[in-house]
Amino acid sequence: MMNPSQGRGLGSGGGSSSGRNKGGEAVVEMFPSGLRVLVVDDDPTCLMILERMLRTCLYEVTKCNRAEMALSLLRKNKHGFDIVISDVHMPDMDGFKLLEHVGLEMDLPVIMMSADDSKSVVLKGVTHGAVDYLIKPVRMEALKNIWQHVVRKRRSEWSVPEHSGSIEETGQQQQQRGPAVSEDAADDNASSVNNEGNNWRSSSNNSRKRKEEEGDEQGDEDASNLKKPRVVWSVELHQQFVAAVNQLGVEKAVPKKILELMNVPGLTRENVASHLQKYRIYLRRLGGVSQHQGNLNNSFMTGQDASFGPLSSLNGFDLQALAVTGQLPAQSLAQLQAAGLGRPAMVSKSGLPVSSVVDERSIFSFDNSKPRFGDGIGGHQTQQPQMNLLHGVPTGMEPRQLAGLQQQLPVGGNRMSIQQQIAAVRAGHSGMLMPQQQPFPRGPPSIRQPMLPNRITERSGFSGRSSVPESSRVLPTSYTNLATQQHSSTSVAFNSFQQELPVNSFPLPSAPGLSVPAQVRKPLSSSSSYQEEVNSSEAGFTAPSYDMFSNRHNDWDLRSIAFDAHQDAESVAFSNSEAFSFSSMSRNNNNNATVAATDLGRNQQQTLSGMVPHHQVYGNGGGGGSSVRVKSERDTAAMAFHEQYSNQEDLMSALLKQEGVAPVVDTEFDFDAYSIDDIPV
Amino acid sequence: MQRQVALIKQSLFDQGYLDEQFMELEELQDDVNPNFVEEVATLYFKDSARLINSIDQALERGSFDFNRLDNYMHQFKGSSSSIGASKVKTECTMFREYCRVGNAEGCLMTFQQVKKEHATLRKKLEHYFQLARQAGPKETARRSK
């Protein structure tokens, strides 16, 4: 057997695969044998088993039981590995963090694995960029095919042939761009990969090993077809990239310009584009988390208008994607946006530009996404994450969002009845009322509001939303409405709100995405979820919102009412949101909410111009009626997301006071008692 | 002898001590690694003993940090499922459930079960491996799954 090192006990003669590594001789006949895998897991038993399995697949295995060690190994040996498999739960570093690092720095495909098979974790893996997620105990069959990820990645990096030309030349000498080529022939075996396979090998192995060992044999010329030397994003390169991005402004950073600024020979626009995408996701993740509470909101709200624009690009890009996955927490979105935009958090509510719609959506998507998964949504409080799910619905894409939402909705929890959802959504609209439960679909479809970054959690969501008054927008439910309407006026209110409200991190923005028009009925549910604690993250947010906007007087009376009301108002969404807020407030159920919503909606209209205090009951009545008053700012929608009722209650009161509206105590809103009329709108 | 070994193995499966994952491990065994399964099992018992200790200590402290306990148990469960320790895995799941709802009593009780199953499996496997070694490596490697 050829490679004793391979430890192939099989004695296969075949080893065929071996050839490659050894000494640059002929390439492996059996692609993908020889694939260089790095396995990271703190469990020694698993590590041993995995190593054995991988060896049996004829892969080259390096095992590591600490993430830090793995990272340094990777850094030291940039092209020494083709793929990384890592456990999620590790003592020294979270598996997802490692995943991010590897993605950004080395751009290697990473497979996550865990005994944890809960949807939320799997989703996290996806949003963090893992190419696959394996559930332990891992079986051989699962490992046998991991090579496909390597090939796939290589392929996507070879976007431009011409680049390879330049790179090839340099590639030979450079480690980084491995113009693969030399061993193309050998790789031809790879059935599915042919060229890619060659490239894969050549770039990864060949370039490195072969070239060195064999000199540049054929490489370049042949490589041309495959060459796509894989760009390894070294720390320096990455820093250059970040500098360029910052210089341009995160939101304005486009691959082309970044490329120009970086001025790195051989670097293609595609390389930069894909790296930018990853970077955005990374930022988003960062931003969302921290901001969540207040920062995002503020930025959201205020910056919404401004941010929306740029954000959309940013957001649209990532957010959407993220939103879809629902992973992006609105917060991070917000953060990203805020950060990217560099804009002062403007109260977006009023001015959310349409473009922001997209942002909002993305924002919402964040939130939504979280809640969506509602698995955990058990309580409102926990909803936040869930809410994001819903919100996470892709912002930019309404239709997509809707689709996403829809999917999401059902996931979470359809627990909430549609009505609730609708209510939730509406609430979300009003300002993301829904925070309570699953922030789902808050994203009223129209909530385009610039991604309410993080904020969404409570108010922010609204503010952002206000900007997007599109009625039938995909807004993730209520968000948009709220945001759109009041933008300016409410924004202020919201801002304060936000702070007060414990941001449930209900990313309003996400809602927008969710709100997918009508289709996703659920969006509202999100709001309702809040109310009801509907754990169903699905939060009908998204869906309802649309309805609302579109005046669908369907299930929820609220919705229709809200819509109607809103219609008059600047942002229909707003009214919807109001309706939601009310509905959301009505923790009890839509029923109550409807009443409330209706009233609110009505009130909203009046107040829309001013600031309609939305009462958002975040968190279902249970939350102590933490109804948050959604100020006209639609932030409420965002806020709605936050289930934190308690906070909301305070917020609501505060808001109401601000608004001059009789503070409607949660109790009042208790859906049953929604006396919207009482609310001096 | 081999037959005896085979029978013992079969009974372990039948009684639910082991599941298909164990079979997967056996498939990894070959001439070059004739004792792979035993090696893994040994490693598992050593590592899991450490985890059990940690959990024991945590429980004794009485503070009931459910998060921490759940973390330990998550690891333990992952290991156990990797070698196919079916009953142990089941008990782990129950323990985690109790952790999730914050039921200290339940945790204590279940943990006793976990330890019991763990000890039982250990004994049985030790016996099994011993016989298997006596029966001859070939058998082990070629044991039909």
Side-chain angles (χ1 to χ4, degrees), chain A residues 31 35 82 150 154 158 196-204:
Chain A
F31 171 87
L35 191 71
D82 299 311
V150 179
R154 297 278 166 86
W158 299 325
E196 281 79 20
N198 290 340
N199 285 331
W200 165 71
R201 273 195 169 327
S202 34
S203 30
S204 55

Side-chain angles (χ1 to χ4, degrees), chain A residues 29-212:
Chain A
E29 297 89 58
M30 278 182 15
F31 171 87
S33 44
L35 191 71
R36 296 162 306 165
V37 186
L38 175 65
V39 181
V40 191
D41 192 341
D42 62 314
D43 182 344
T45 311
C46 288
L47 208 54
M48 183 174 182
I49 296 175
L50 279 169
E51 184 194 21
R52 182 90 196 89
M53 284 182 170
L54 289 166
R55 290 254 156 92
T56 306
C57 294
L58 305 187
Y59 295 152
E60 257 186 39
V61 187
T62 305
K63 41 177 196 175
C64 210
N65 63 353
R66 296 191 69 77
E68 290 291 353
M69 177 159 61
L71 259 186
S72 68
L73 253 183
L74 285 166
R75 285 175 181 146
K76 271 199 303 232
N77 204 355
K78 289 243 156 76
H79 303 279
F81 298 99
D82 299 311
I83 189 166
V84 179
I85 302 183
S86 169
D87 188 43
V88 166
H89 299 278
M90 289 191 288
D92 63 333
M93 186 196 291
D94 181 33
F96 291 117
K97 255 185 139 314
L98 175 65
L99 165 59
E100 277 178 6
H101 278 295
V102 174
L104 276 176
E105 297 177 33
M106 294 111 203
D107 195 27
L108 284 175
V110 182
I111 294 179
M112 300 305 294
M113 59 175 179
S114 176
D116 191 349
D117 63 349
S118 60
K119 271 192 283 211
S120 57
V121 185
V122 177
L123 183 63
K124 215 172 158 197
V126 173
T127 54
H128 279 65
V131 298
D132 206 348
Y133 189 101
L134 307 176
I135 309 281
K136 286 185 180 174
V138 179
R139 296 205 322 278
M140 270 278 283
E141 300 85 75
L143 293 177
K144 269 203 199 121
N145 285 323
I146 62 174
W147 60 267
Q148 60 173 294
H149 300 296
V150 179
V151 171
R152 196 175 290 126
K153 206 163 180 90
R154 297 278 166 86
R155 285 189 67 151
S156 65
E157 289 180 346
W158 299 325
S159 45
V160 184
E162 51 265 25
H163 292 281
S164 44
S166 59
I167 301 191
E168 286 159 28
E169 259 86 58
T170 51
Q172 293 240 347
Q173 284 74 30
Q174 293 174 17
Q175 295 284 329
Q176 300 215 7
R177 314 234 195 224
V181 190
S182 27
E183 272 73 42
D184 297 355
D187 296 317
D188 276 21
N189 303 337
S191 43
S192 55
V193 225
N194 272 354
N195 288 343
E196 281 79 20
N198 290 340
N199 285 331
W200 165 71
R201 273 195 169 327
S202 34
S203 30
S204 55
N205 309 317
N206 302 345
S207 48
R208 255 24 69 24
K209 294 188 187 178
R210 309 248 194 119
K211 296 255 176 16
E212 289 150 351

